[in-house]
């Protein structure tokens, strides 16, 4: 496709779907006969260079879809819905929340968020739950996708970060080992970043299927390792075994920058290639070939050659042993001496549009903004100070998403649930059990654009804004903070979730302040995250508007 030049009549923003956050431009004057309210074109941006996938091209289709909700919907006694005004809807919601809290305690009201919310909405949702509702019961749908990768990252590096390097670094890679990801179908613009590795014959794809990404290895572009489903961990242990047995590791790096090598050596000692081959189906010769090629490429990378990268995706992370599998991939990268150097590194490919930022600022049950721990007194004191409340008023840790959803309506679970940007009836593990749980609730509130399967179960449905109608920031898979910009005026009956939270906070007489303005919320997020692992305190809104490439951590002292 042709890359469009910047046009002052268009609004530069980003695709709402995956974590690539491809650059797009929106023209609110699409011309006579146009089916969509905006003309959407690809924009020259680092992740996509103007290219878009089918979902990106069609992202504007839903903005004026005839089934879009135009007013709050309240469940009638006969089971149907009737439209109501916003004041009536919010008054009822606040009244039910207050009465359920009074009868059953603060944790009787729960909140379920998502990795598709902007940073500002995710941040204020966590604040709203803990201050306005006083509940510890908040979590989000990212628990279903990134948890294993997050646990492995924290275990190895003390940090949950998708890619700790710009995606453009892959453009000069000589070798890329990719496990459990089919980017050719799920993130097509990603493929352009694999071209140098392919040209070098260094794209190695691990997938039980001959996927579209695996097909990129044909013709001398690399090779496809096709293990039996569920055996990626054993394959990685076999690769590590070869590196150690044949002294192909970076000894200096391991001695100066890692710990636990003796334990790793013992754990992989039993996974020689012939044994791994009987479990995975990958021939021993291919295991040795792959380990030796990775080692040779890593050595060359440290003397000016192209970088070497190991990337994982949900395909291996969502196994029952997903955390261990991801840890094994990290260990392989460490044995090669890659993370934290210019020679390459390890990364996990975040999926949801704000899957990175959405897990950083407080909508997880055990977390406060900036990746702070809700159990740490110093962390609680800092955030409470920003919010203008006493630290002891903040609730403690809640329960993770699966437990939160499965216990709804039970003696130990919540009696009321607010759902934002998620459709757990469809997307949750054991979805039928989640549906049963939702039907046990005393009151279910869903914020959505359409009457989704989850919204159809609700007692109250609140119509909210879509991506082209709201301001805010997103954080893509690289940890780069981006501006989402409004190109359209919101439909008359829809409201922004920041506004909804602010209005409810008033009705609930919440401590603290709640703004409906995205920039104001972002400025507070900066303060709340300051000094945390995910520090945004030095990220400037105007710099983002100017297109600056800003990655976290970005502290105020180093902006």
């Amino acid at each position: 496709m042709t890359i469009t030049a910047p046009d002052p009549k268009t609004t530069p923003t980003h695709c709402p779907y995956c974590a690539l956050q491809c650059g797009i431009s929106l023209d609110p004057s699409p011309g006579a006969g146009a089916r969509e309210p905006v003309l959407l074109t690809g924009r020259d941006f680092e992740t996509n260079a103007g290219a878009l996938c089918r979902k990106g091209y069609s992202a504007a289709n839903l903005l004026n879809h005839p089934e879009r909700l135009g007013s709050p919907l309240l469940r009638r006694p006969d089971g149907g819905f009737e439209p109501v005004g916003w004041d009536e809807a919010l008054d009822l919601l606040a009244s039910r929340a207050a009465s359920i809290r009074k009868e059953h305690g603060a944790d009787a009201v729960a909140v379920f968020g998502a990795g598709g919310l902007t940073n500002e909405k995710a941040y204020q949702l966590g604040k709203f739950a803990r201050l306005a509702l006083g509940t510890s019961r908040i979590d989000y749908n990212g628990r279903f996708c990134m948890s294993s990768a997050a646990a492995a990252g924290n275990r190895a590096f003390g940090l949950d970060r998708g890619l700790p390097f710009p995606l453009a670094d892959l453009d000069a890679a000589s070798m890329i080992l990719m496990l459990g990801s089919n980017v050719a179908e799920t993130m097509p613009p990603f493929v352009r970043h694999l071209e140098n590795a392919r040209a070098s014959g260094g794209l190695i794809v691990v997938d039980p299927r001959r996927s579209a990404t695996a097909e990129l290895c044909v013709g001398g572009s690399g090779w496809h390792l096709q293990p039996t489903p569920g055996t990626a961990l054993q394959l990685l242990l076999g690769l590590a075994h070869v590196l150690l047995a044949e002294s192909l590791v970076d000894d200096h790096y391991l001695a100066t920058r890692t710990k636990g090598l003796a334990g790793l050596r013992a754990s992989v000692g039993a996974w020689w290639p012939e044994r791994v081959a009987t479990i995975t189906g990958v021939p021993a010769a291919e295991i040795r070939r792959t380990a030796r090629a990775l080692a040779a490429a890593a050595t060359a990378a440290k003397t000016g050659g192209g970088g070497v990268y190991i990337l994982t995706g949900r395909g291996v992370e969502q196994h029952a042993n997903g955390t261990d599998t991801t840890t094994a991939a990290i260990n392989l990268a460490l044995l090669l001496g890659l993370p934290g150097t210019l020679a390459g590194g390890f990364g996990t490919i975040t999926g949801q549009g704000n899957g990175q930022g959405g897990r950083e600022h407080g909508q997880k049950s055990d977390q406060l903004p900036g990746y702070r721990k809700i159990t740490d007194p110093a962390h609680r004191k800092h955030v409470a100070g920003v919010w203008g409340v006493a630290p002891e008023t903040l609730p403690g840790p809640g329960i993770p998403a699966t437990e939160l959803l499965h216990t709804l309506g039970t003696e130990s679970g919540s009696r009321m649930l607010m759902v934002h940007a998620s459709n757990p009836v469809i997307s949750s593990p054991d979805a039928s059990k989640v549906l049963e749980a939702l039907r046990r609730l005393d009151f279910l509130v869903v914020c959505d654009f359409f009457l989704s399967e989850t919204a159809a179960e609700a007692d109250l449905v609140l119509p909210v804004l879509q991506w082209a109608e709201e301001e805010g920031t997103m954080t893509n898979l690289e940890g780069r903070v981006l501006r989402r910009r409004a190109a359209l005026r919101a439909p008359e009956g829809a409201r922004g979730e920041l506004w909804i939270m602010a209005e409810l906070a008033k009705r609930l007489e919440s401590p603290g302040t709640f703004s409906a303005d995205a920039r104001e919320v972002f400025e507070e997020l900066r303060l709340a995250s300051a000094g945390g692992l995910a520090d945004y305190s030095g990220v400037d809104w105007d710099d983002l508007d100017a297109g600056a490439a800003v990655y976290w951590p970005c502290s105020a002292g180093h902006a």
Side-chain angles (χ1 to χ4, degrees), residues 234-235 237-243 245-246 268-289 291-292:
Q234 290 85 351
L235 177 60
L237 295 176
L239 292 171
H241 177 102
V242 174
L243 293 180
E246 299 186 8
V268 303
W271 295 100
W272 58 92
E274 285 73 18
R275 182 190 178 201
V276 172
T278 65
I279 297 170
T280 65
V282 177
E286 284 295 284
I287 296 171
R288 289 191 171 90
R289 172 196 181 197
R292 292 165 182 167

Side-chain angles (χ1 to χ4, degrees), residues 47-65:
T47 60
N48 65 309
L52 297 172
C53 71
R54 292 179 182 178
K55 291 182 74 173
Y57 279 125
S58 61
N61 291 356
L62 299 180
L63 293 171
N64 61 347
H65 194 281

Side-chain angles (χ1 to χ4, degrees), residues 400-550:
T402 300
E403 184 180 353
L404 185 152
L405 293 175
H406 287 180
T407 59
L408 292 172
T410 67
E411 186 175 347
S412 63
S414 299
R415 308 296 309 179
M416 174 178 169
L417 178 68
M418 296 178 63
V419 177
H420 293 259
S422 188
N423 189 11
V425 167
I426 295 298
S427 60
S428 298
D430 202 351
S432 60
K433 189 173 181 179
V434 171
L435 179 58
E436 292 174 6
L438 293 178
R439 290 174 175 173
R440 292 195 299 261
L441 286 167
D442 295 342
F443 201 66
L444 173 61
V445 183
V446 175
C447 295
D448 210 326
F449 331 117
F450 298 99
L451 195 66
S452 68
E453 290 82 354
T454 302
E457 299 293 326
D459 298 288
L460 180 64
V461 183
L462 302 179
V464 294
L465 306 186
Q466 289 201 53
W467 57 278
E469 302 154 357
E470 66 180 5
E471 297 286 335
T473 65
M474 307 281 279
T475 304
N476 75 353
L477 78 173
E478 310 163 298
R480 178 173 175 176
V481 187
L482 307 167
R483 275 280 282 116
R484 170 176 282 187
R485 298 179 178 88
L488 294 173
R489 183 172 297 175
E492 184 177 349
R495 297 290 187 273
E497 281 155 293
L498 294 179
W499 179 87
I500 292 172
M501 285 182 262
E503 290 296 311
L504 287 173
K506 293 177 189 175
R507 288 165 168 82
L508 293 166
E509 299 181 346
S510 172
T513 59
F514 290 82
S515 175
D517 182 83
R519 182 166 186 169
E520 290 181 3
V521 177
F522 179 76
E523 295 303 322
E524 185 179 292
L525 181 159
R526 291 175 62 197
L527 297 175
S529 71
L533 290 173
D535 190 337
Y536 281 44
S537 62
V539 182
D540 184 82
W541 185 279
D542 291 331
D543 287 346
L544 298 180
D545 265 339
V550 183

Side-chain angles (χ1 to χ4, degrees), residues 232-423:
L233 173 58
Q234 290 85 351
L235 177 60
L236 288 164
L237 295 176
L239 292 171
H241 177 102
V242 174
L243 293 180
L244 287 163
E246 299 186 8
S247 299
L248 300 175
V249 300
D250 187 328
D251 291 313
H252 178 72
Y253 179 97
L254 292 172
T256 58
R257 303 182 64 172
T258 70
K259 60 183 180 180
L261 178 60
L264 176 64
R265 190 184 297 274
S267 70
V268 303
W271 295 100
W272 58 92
E274 285 73 18
R275 182 190 178 201
V276 172
T278 65
I279 297 170
T280 65
V282 177
E286 284 295 284
I287 296 171
R288 289 191 171 90
R289 172 196 181 197
T290 301
R292 292 165 182 167
L294 286 166
T299 299
K302 293 161 191 172
T303 55
V308 178
Y309 296 87
I310 297 176
L311 306 176
T312 63
R314 304 303 84 73
V316 295
E317 295 163 8
Q318 292 188 347
H319 292 168
N321 55 15
T323 299
D324 288 341
T325 302
T326 310
T327 300
I330 293 171
N331 285 339
L332 191 67
L334 292 171
L335 289 173
L336 294 168
L338 300 176
T341 76
L342 297 178
F346 167 84
T348 178
I349 302 171
T350 303
Q352 291 192 76
N354 201 29
Q356 181 65 63
R359 65 185 193 261
E360 296 167 358
H361 296 300
Q363 63 171 335
K364 292 173 70 175
S365 63
D366 55 352
Q367 182 197 86
L368 291 170
Y371 271 151
R372 284 188 161 87
K373 296 179 180 179
I374 201 166
T375 54
D376 187 307
H379 292 185
R380 293 169 64 86
K381 180 179 180 180
H382 173 85
V383 174
V386 174
W387 290 351
V389 299
E392 59 269 19
T393 64
L394 299 181
I399 55 178
T402 300
E403 184 180 353
L404 185 152
L405 293 175
H406 287 180
T407 59
L408 292 172
T410 67
E411 186 175 347
S412 63
S414 299
R415 308 296 309 179
M416 174 178 169
L417 178 68
M418 296 178 63
V419 177
H420 293 259
S422 188
N423 189 11

Side-chain angles (χ1 to χ4, degrees), residues 111-295:
V111 178
F112 192 73
L117 296 172
T118 62
N119 289 322
E120 295 73 27
K121 289 191 287 187
Y123 166 80
Q124 187 147 289
L125 190 62
K127 179 182 177 182
F128 174 80
R130 295 179 174 105
L131 295 192
L133 298 175
T135 183
S136 70
R137 300 293 174 95
I138 177 171
D139 214 79
Y140 83 129
N141 64 12
R143 291 281 188 185
F144 304 146
C145 53
M146 294 298 299
S147 289
S148 294
N154 280 317
R155 174 191 284 175
F157 304 121
L159 181 69
D160 169 19
R161 176 71 175 256
L163 299 183
F165 45 79
L167 197 60
D169 284 6
L170 299 181
D171 295 347
S174 65
M175 185 163 286
I176 298 173
L177 173 65
M178 183 174 291
L179 304 101
S181 184
N182 184 16
V183 291
E185 292 185 333
T186 59
M187 292 180 167
F190 192 111
V191 171
R192 62 183 289 269
H193 299 287
L194 306 177
E195 289 308 308
N196 198 70
R198 295 182 67 209
S200 303
L203 178 62
I204 309 168
V205 175
V206 178
D207 198 317
R209 301 182 306 129
R210 190 175 294 119
S211 66
T213 305
E215 291 290 345
L216 297 175
C217 300
V218 302
S221 296
W223 58 97
H224 175 204
L225 300 180
Q226 200 167 3
T228 301
T231 63
L233 173 58
Q234 290 85 351
L235 177 60
L236 288 164
L237 295 176
L239 292 171
H241 177 102
V242 174
L243 293 180
L244 287 163
E246 299 186 8
S247 299
L248 300 175
V249 300
D250 187 328
D251 291 313
H252 178 72
Y253 179 97
L254 292 172
T256 58
R257 303 182 64 172
T258 70
K259 60 183 180 180
L261 178 60
L264 176 64
R265 190 184 297 274
S267 70
V268 303
W271 295 100
W272 58 92
E274 285 73 18
R275 182 190 178 201
V276 172
T278 65
I279 297 170
T280 65
V282 177
E286 284 295 284
I287 296 171
R288 289 191 171 90
R289 172 196 181 197
T290 301
R292 292 165 182 167
L294 286 166

